[in-house]
Amino acid sequence: MTTLYFLWLFLIPLFQILSGYHIFLVSSQCLDDQKSLLLQLKGSLRYDSTLSNKLAKWNQKTSESCNWDGVTCDLSGHVIALELDDETISSGIENASALFSLQYLERLNLAYNRFSVGIPVGIGNLTNLKYLNLSNAGFVGQIPMMLSRLTKLVTLDLSPLFPYSNQRLKLENPNLRHFIENSTELRELYLDGVDLSSLRTEWCPIDESLSKLQILSIIRLDQNNLSTTVPGYFANFTNLTTLSLDSCNLQGAFPKKIFQVQFLEILDLSNNKLLSGSIPSFPRNGSLRMISLSNTNFSGSLPESISNLQSLSSGTVPLDLIGRLSNLTRLELSYNNLTVDASSINSTSFIFPQLRLLKLASCRLQKFPDLKRRIPESICNASYLQVLDFSNNALSGTIPPCLLENSTNLGVLNLGNNKLNGVIPDSFPIGCALQTLDLSENKLQGRLPKSLVNCELLEVLNVGNNKLVDRFPCMLRNSNSLRVLFLRSNQFNGSVQCDATRNNWKNLQIIDIASNNFTGVLNAEFFSNWKGMMVADDNVETGRNHIQYKFLQLS
Ligand SMILES: *[C@@H]1O[C@H](CO)[C@@H](O)[C@H](O)[C@H]1NC(C)=O
Ligand SMILES: *[C@@H]1O[C@H](CO)[C@@H](O)[C@H](O)[C@H]1NC(C)=O
Ligand SMILES: *[C@@H]1O[C@H](CO)[C@@H](O)[C@H](O)[C@H]1NC(C)=O
Ligand SMILES: *[C@@H]1O[C@H](CO)[C@@H](O)[C@H](O)[C@H]1NC(C)=O
Ligand SMILES: *[C@@H]1O[C@H](CO)[C@@H](O)[C@H](O)[C@H]1NC(C)=O
Ligand SMILES: *[C@@H]1O[C@H](CO)[C@@H](O)[C@H](O)[C@H]1NC(C)=O
Ligand SMILES: *[C@@H]1O[C@H](CO)[C@@H](O)[C@H](O)[C@H]1NC(C)=O
Ligand SMILES: *[C@@H]1O[C@H](CO)[C@@H](O)[C@H](O)[C@H]1NC(C)=O
Ligand SMILES: *[C@@H]1O[C@H](CO)[C@@H](O)[C@H](O)[C@H]1NC(C)=O
Ligand SMILES: *[C@@H]1O[C@H](CO)[C@@H](O)[C@H](O)[C@H]1NC(C)=O
Ligand SMILES: *[C@@H]1O[C@H](CO)[C@@H](O)[C@H](O)[C@H]1NC(C)=O
Ligand SMILES: *[C@@H]1O[C@H](CO)[C@@H](O)[C@H](O)[C@H]1NC(C)=O
């Protein structure tokens, strides 16, 4: 045992020494020439040494240049990545022949510098490059033909910071088509703000240029007067995740099929006033996170299948903008990590005369959109409204009575999980059409309103987790429709029994009265009334079936 332990202790350091020695031996030969190239490069570049975080620290005396900030080497000591972004470099790149001799470079990032010259031709000599980032580097003028020799490029980012500047990069000669004709590996192409305007002179320009690059996953060509139609073949780019064509003077009809590309996450077509189209149905499990169609000529309705997009997110939605869509009948923005800003709403802008369905669950709402009764126009005026889901927000204050008063069309009202207080208004009208009423997880007080009996179609009543103080709601015992009754976690008290009538609660299937202050006994007769729970199988004759999760999701 002792021997083994000793051996073990001995083996570890030996192994460490050997392996360290090994790396040192192999790399030392190459290091010297790579190090001297890096030092030459440093010498030829002009930069502000007080602001530089990397270059300024490269030091002749530090032996291991592979550890310098911004430098990455392979195991043999060849420099394979150089990240000199944001280093205040202003000049000297044209003659930085040392840079163009770093033949093993696979990754070069010169983004966010202050060059104001053309892209140096020598970069075309770095034929192993897979990643070239010259974004916001200050380079201007024609992109040199030599760059098209970089046929291993996977990512090319040439986007400038100020796309409208007069001094920007151009792809004129070569044009985009020539430039990328051999770039078969290209997946991410950021040319937003690069002047591609020579394309205009050709027939169907983007078409010829990109059609072969089906492997592309990111295409950004924003801020270019392309004056063309959008080619349908983008729909064949099966790996496409981003298509950004903001402000491109696009025309004609946008090919619907592009909406259906399976992995497409970002589609930005904004500011193309002549681009027309309509939104088709979306595939189930579509990936779209952002669709921007502002300032385009799109028309038509939002398809129901927009709810298939489970990852849509587009930031903050000012509700007053939506409010101007006077023909809108359905709006569902729930569970998208959206913030719906209702604060800008005013009485004249929030008119949804046609609205039938409004789902803003989990949208960080903080107040009911314009519901003050100073004002006649309000959400209560959306008199065709059938589904209103404001659940999982931060709504505070009281429930506006008018919301219930005019609920002769409203079938689903879900205000669950908010911060509502006060009493539930006793204003359910005769002819109340509510089928699902969910007011759970608020701070509601007082009693269940008597007028709830007017809601003869009510199937689901959930007032759980509030501060209600009331007796058991015997007034609902004759309902033919009630199937789900949640009273959990309130201060309901007294007996759970109602006057003995044979048909009490006959369709009730789920009841939850836990965590209240009920007293008394539960006798056998009480349970025998609950016929709805005894249905053995789905009953075709009565059309009644077991309550399923889907049913509860009505809201
Ligand atoms: C680059 O080299 C050329 C010719 O060798 C020279 O004329 C030019 O001044 C150099 N540019 C800079 C910025 O040093
Ligand atoms: C690029 O490589 C060629 C040979 O392939 C060489 O003649 C030329 O000088 C190199 N250019 C630069 C700027 O290093
Ligand atoms: C290019 O570099 C800049 C600055 O480091 C970075 O913000 C940007 O995301 C990079 N572009 C790509 C495509 O990686
Ligand atoms: C692309 O490759 C072909 C064949 O090697 C060559 O003739 C052509 O000049 C290349 N195009 C560019 C733009 O480099
Ligand atoms: C999409 O990407 C996958 C995985 O990277 C690749 O196998 C496939 O060939 C690509 N499809 C196209 C059309 O490039
Ligand atoms: C865009 O290009 C078209 C065609 O060349 C031209 O008629 C139009 O005026 C240009 N628009 C802008 C905003 O430059
Ligand atoms: C897309 O691909 C399909 C099948 O591969 C082909 O029939 C169709 O012509 C292509 N569409 C375009 C616009 O290239
Ligand atoms: C709403 O629809 C009507 C009738 O179809 C139409 O006349 C009107 O222009 C539409 N309004 C808007 C803002 O689209
Ligand atoms: C939701 O959006 C916020 C910013 O608005 C972001 O910080 C957060 O990570 C997002 N959450 C998810 C799950 O995407
Ligand atoms: C209310 O909205 C209308 C229409 O959008 C607008 O003209 C008006 O200035 C807004 N009023 C206030 C007080 O914001
Ligand atoms: C809402 O109900 C109130 C009273 O019940 C009524 O005066 C008002 O006209 C109704 N509003 C609409 C838009 O139906
Ligand atoms: C529960 O009811 C009893 C009387 O039945 C009462 O004394 C008690 O205060 C009640 N508890 C709460 C928490 O309301």
Side-chain angles (χ1 to χ4, degrees):
M1 198 63 190
T2 326
T3 324
L4 267 178
Y5 182 64
F6 174 76
L7 255 179
W8 188 232
L9 276 181
F10 176 73
L11 276 172
I12 295 172
L14 185 63
F15 176 73
Q16 278 173 352
I17 291 163
L18 281 176
S19 57
Y21 187 61
H22 179 68
I23 289 173
F24 179 73
L25 265 187
V26 174
S27 55
S28 66
Q29 290 157 353
C30 312
L31 271 177
D32 283 345
D33 91 293
Q34 298 283 294
K35 182 181 173 184
S36 80
L37 285 173
L38 289 173
L39 286 171
Q40 274 181 50
L41 171 62
K42 175 179 171 171
S44 59
L45 296 176
R46 186 169 301 163
Y47 59 93
D48 183 337
S49 59
T50 61
L51 296 174
S52 154
N53 292 315
K54 302 171 192 170
L55 272 175
K57 291 194 243 160
W58 290 6
N59 187 344
Q60 171 91 53
K61 290 175 194 144
T62 328
S63 58
E64 186 53 89
S65 60
C66 289
N67 287 341
W68 289 351
D69 285 336
V71 177
T72 309
C73 302
D74 63 10
L75 284 176
S76 325
H78 299 123
V79 177
I80 54 167
L82 205 50
E83 311 267 354
L84 294 178
D85 48 322
D86 205 5
E87 280 289 289
T88 71
I89 309 169
S90 55
S91 64
I93 192 82
E94 317 89 288
N95 293 346
S97 52
L99 172 62
F100 315 130
S101 303
L102 291 168
Q103 286 298 318
Y104 293 87
L105 267 190
E106 293 179 7
R107 209 180 152 85
L108 177 61
N109 191 346
L110 296 175
Y112 290 87
N113 279 296
R114 303 168 183 179
F115 303 109
S116 50
V117 292
I119 296 176
V121 174
I123 289 181
N125 272 18
L126 300 171
T127 49
N128 284 313
L129 279 182
K130 293 179 181 165
Y131 175 96
L132 178 59
N133 190 344
L134 304 181
S135 167
N136 305 319
F139 290 118
V140 293
Q142 172 63 41
I143 295 168
M145 187 66 175
M146 278 286 278
L147 246 55
S148 66
R149 294 174 62 193
L150 306 177
T151 54
K152 293 183 185 169
L153 274 185
V154 173
T155 302
L156 177 62
D157 188 348
L158 300 178
S159 56
L161 187 56
F162 302 110
Y164 293 111
S165 152
N166 286 332
Q167 295 207 310
R168 55 180 188 164
L169 284 168
K170 279 197 290 198
L171 259 178
E172 217 167 68
N173 181 24
N175 60 21
L176 182 60
R177 174 156 57 97
H178 282 123
F179 184 65
I180 61 178
E181 76 183 348
N182 295 331
S183 307
T184 50
E185 305 292 316
L186 209 53
R187 277 161 203 264
E188 301 186 10
L189 184 60
Y190 299 80
L191 296 179
D192 38 318
V194 175
D195 185 353
L196 307 174
S197 51
S198 73
L199 284 175
R200 260 185 278 142
T201 57
E202 294 173 32
W203 178 80
C204 216
I206 330 181
D207 215 78
E208 290 185 40
S209 309
L210 298 175
S211 59
K212 282 188 234 151
L213 292 177
Q214 296 202 1
I215 198 172
L216 278 174
S217 70
I218 297 179
I219 302 174
R220 304 192 62 116
L221 302 175
D222 315 47
Q223 324 279 359
N224 257 292
N225 186 356
L226 300 176
S227 303
T228 185
T229 56
V230 180
Y233 67 72
F234 280 137
N236 279 358
F237 284 30
T238 48
N239 286 340
L240 197 62
T241 59
T242 297
L243 180 61
S244 193
L245 299 169
D246 176 359
S247 305
C248 285
N249 194 17
L250 296 170
Q251 301 159 5
F254 183 77
K256 276 190 182 187
K257 280 194 164 176
I258 297 177
F259 279 104
Q260 288 159 349
V261 172
Q262 191 183 358
F263 301 114
L264 191 62
E265 292 176 15
I266 296 174
L267 178 64
D268 189 347
L269 302 172
S270 48
N271 303 308
N272 289 287
K273 287 186 184 169
L274 302 178
L275 186 67
S276 61
S278 57
I279 306 177
S281 56
F282 293 97
R284 259 181 200 286
N285 303 322
S287 310
L288 274 167
R289 283 193 289 119
M290 193 203 97
I291 308 174
S292 184
L293 302 176
S294 55
N295 211 1
T296 60
N297 198 20
F298 270 70
S299 56
S301 57
L302 288 171
E304 293 194 9
S305 55
I306 199 164
S307 59
N308 285 340
L309 301 175
Q310 289 169 6
S311 21
L312 200 67
S313 63
S314 59
T316 298
V317 182
L319 205 52
D320 64 336
L321 280 187
I322 299 168
R324 286 180 216 142
L325 302 171
S326 52
N327 286 348
L328 194 71
T329 58
R330 254 183 109 108
L331 179 65
E332 298 184 55
L333 300 173
S334 302
Y335 303 107
N336 278 311
N337 199 12
L338 281 172
T339 300
V340 172
D341 181 6
S343 64
S344 57
I345 294 296
N346 74 38
S347 60
T348 40
S349 60
F350 196 78
I351 38 169
F352 287 134
Q354 309 289 332
L355 199 65
R356 283 171 166 56
L357 182 146
L358 182 59
K359 291 189 180 183
L360 301 180
S362 204
C363 286
R364 303 192 188 99
L365 277 178
Q366 296 192 359
K367 60 171 219 171
F368 278 101
D370 184 28
L371 284 167
K372 301 208 180 92
R373 302 204 65 194
R374 68 180 149 79
I375 295 164
E377 292 90 357
S378 69
I379 195 165
C380 298
N381 253 9
S383 46
Y384 293 107
L385 202 63
Q386 291 167 355
V387 176
L388 184 66
D389 183 355
F390 282 171
S391 60
N392 298 304
N393 283 294
L395 293 174
S396 57
T398 57
I399 299 174
C402 70
L403 204 58
L404 310 177
E405 275 165 26
N406 299 85
S407 60
T408 48
N409 282 305
L410 198 61
V412 175
L413 177 61
N414 189 349
L415 303 177
N417 195 14
N418 279 288
K419 296 174 180 168
L420 296 168
N421 55 37
V423 298
I424 304 173
D426 194 5
S427 57
F428 295 92
I430 291 174
C432 158
L434 281 174
Q435 291 173 283
T436 294
L437 177 62
D438 189 340
L439 304 175
S440 63
E441 297 185 68
N442 280 290
K443 296 171 183 170
L444 296 168
Q445 298 155 5
R447 307 169 137 218
L448 278 181
K450 293 265 182 303
S451 58
L452 206 51
V453 294
N454 290 332
C455 303
E456 293 181 358
L457 306 174
L458 195 66
E459 295 185 30
V460 178
L461 176 62
N462 186 355
V463 292
N465 291 290
N466 277 291
K467 296 176 173 175
L468 299 174
V469 182
D470 202 353
R471 315 283 289 183
F472 189 64
C474 287
M475 62 184 178
L476 298 174
R477 70 183 183 279
N478 290 324
S479 168
N480 286 325
S481 55
L482 197 67
R483 310 215 290 174
V484 179
L485 180 62
F486 276 32
L487 305 177
R488 162 186 282 270
S489 292
N490 279 286
Q491 287 180 42
F492 284 95
N493 54 59
S495 165
V496 183
Q497 309 263 37
C498 301
D499 294 343
T501 330
R502 279 270 157 94
N503 284 329
N504 282 1
W505 310 110
K506 67 175 177 188
N507 286 326
L508 201 62
Q509 289 175 298
I510 298 179
I511 179 168
D512 184 349
I513 57 172
S515 301
N516 279 289
N517 199 14
F518 288 117
T519 52
V521 290
L522 297 171
N523 56 36
E525 192 190 332
F526 175 71
F527 292 101
S528 64
N529 275 332
W530 295 349
K531 301 274 190 322
M533 293 190 202
M534 299 174 199
V535 183
D537 290 303
D538 291 359
N539 189 324
V540 180
E541 236 168 81
T542 63
R544 195 166 333 120
N545 50 21
H546 288 295
I547 289 202
Q548 291 164 0
Y549 185 60
K550 195 170 163 243
F551 171 80
L552 287 171
Q553 276 205 327
L554 242 187
S555 57

